[in-house]
Amino acid sequence: MQKVFDIESFATSDIGLVRNNNEDVVKMLEKLHFYILADGMGGHNAGEVAAEKACEYMCHLIESLPLESLTEKDIPILSEKVLSMMHKTNLWVHHLSRQNPHLSGMGTTLCSLLVFRNFMITSHVGDSRIYRLRKGILSRITSDHLTYKTKYAASGHVEKQKKHALTQAIGTSVKIKPSLLISEVLDGDLFLMCSDGLSDLVKDDEIEKILRSHVSLEATSNFLIALAKSRGGHDNITLLLTKINKKE
């Protein structure tokens, strides 16, 4: 018997306490069980444009898929399509940046979650993250595409790593290497997608404790954002929570 999903989701974005504009974008195609989040970068509001255009284009591509006609046997094919969509989205944003001098060099992180049948397909480029809380245990299911610049003191001792930079982002070059994960979903799984405005200021063990609180998704989201802002809120803070319940 085919299992049916009850999926609850909630998304929110906060400008934070320092930035003048919000370059994060989050979108949900709830009927298709598709969720996407981007954190833009670039001057003259170009980051905001990159994030919006990337999410918009990726959603358009997902909407073009004949998901209703696919079965679990098509999961490998579907995952390849998601990977192809990431590449197409990258080329589209890169094309837009080349067309308009004011958008030159713009880019964005991008992470997505597609729940299909009894599986999830996640993809990402950059350092926006996807976490999964399963049976009270939090796992980070994406790895940041970052490089750390280590500063050396005059004595030759290594100081604390203070700076990092993305090794790849959507739109900044014609080639990317998105990360892709296919995994079965279980009853009670809770997914958190977030920009680094949250993950830079709230530790994983703190996120786990908050997600285990069993309050509403909206209340949980508001608490996480308030905590990040209480610690400086130096960046835009965006998150999306997706709770999965399965019934026979």
Side-chain angles (χ1 to χ4, degrees), residues 25-145:
V25 174
V26 61
K27 294 183 182 294
M28 302 185 292
L29 300 179
E30 295 184 275
K31 290 184 178 181
L32 300 180
H33 302 158
F34 180 73
Y35 312 90
I36 190 166
L37 182 149
D39 180 357
M41 54 191 178
H44 305 290
N45 297 329
E48 186 176 340
V49 174
E52 178 65 34
K53 294 299 183 181
C55 288
E56 183 182 87
Y57 195 73
M58 189 79 171
C59 286
H60 169 71
L61 293 174
I62 288 291
E63 289 174 324
S64 70
L65 289 175
L67 291 175
E68 292 184 359
S69 65
L70 301 180
T71 68
E72 287 187 7
K73 293 181 180 179
D74 298 312
I75 292 291
I77 296 173
L78 182 56
S79 65
E80 286 298 318
K81 288 186 178 296
V82 170
L83 191 62
S84 175
M85 290 175 184
M86 291 288 281
H87 286 286
K88 290 178 179 179
T89 299
N90 175 65
L91 291 175
W92 174 241
V93 175
H94 185 263
H95 167 72
L96 293 176
S97 73
R98 297 291 296 272
Q99 275 193 324
N100 188 335
H102 295 292
L103 302 179
S104 179
M106 73 175 180
T108 183
T109 70
L110 194 66
C111 63
S112 73
L113 168 67
L114 174 64
V115 182
F116 177 76
R117 306 294 184 181
N118 296 327
F119 291 86
M120 66 163 194
I121 300 173
T122 63
S123 63
H124 93 282
V125 170
D127 63 347
S128 294
R129 294 179 178 177
I130 305 177
Y131 294 88
R132 181 189 64 205
L133 185 77
R134 173 173 287 177
K135 298 181 179 179
I137 299 175
L138 187 72
S139 300
R140 191 192 307 175
I141 59 176
T142 57
S143 297
D144 298 340
H145 296 145

Side-chain angles (χ1 to χ4, degrees), residues 166-204:
L166 293 178
T167 57
Q168 58 175 327
I170 296 290
T172 56
S173 66
V174 295
K175 292 185 178 181
I176 56 170
K177 293 182 179 180
S179 297
L180 188 83
L181 176 67
I182 307 168
S183 178
E184 187 176 5
V185 294
L186 300 180
D187 179 36
D189 280 351
L190 176 60
F191 294 95
L192 166 67
M193 304 171 67
C194 67
S195 63
D196 63 352
L198 177 70
S199 57
D200 280 353
L201 296 174
V202 184
K203 297 179 180 179
D204 286 8

Side-chain angles (χ1 to χ4, degrees), residues 202-213:
V202 184
K203 297 179 180 179
D204 286 8
D205 60 338
E206 295 175 313
I207 292 175
E208 179 180 275
K209 183 177 180 180
I210 293 166
L211 294 184
R212 291 172 62 182
S213 62

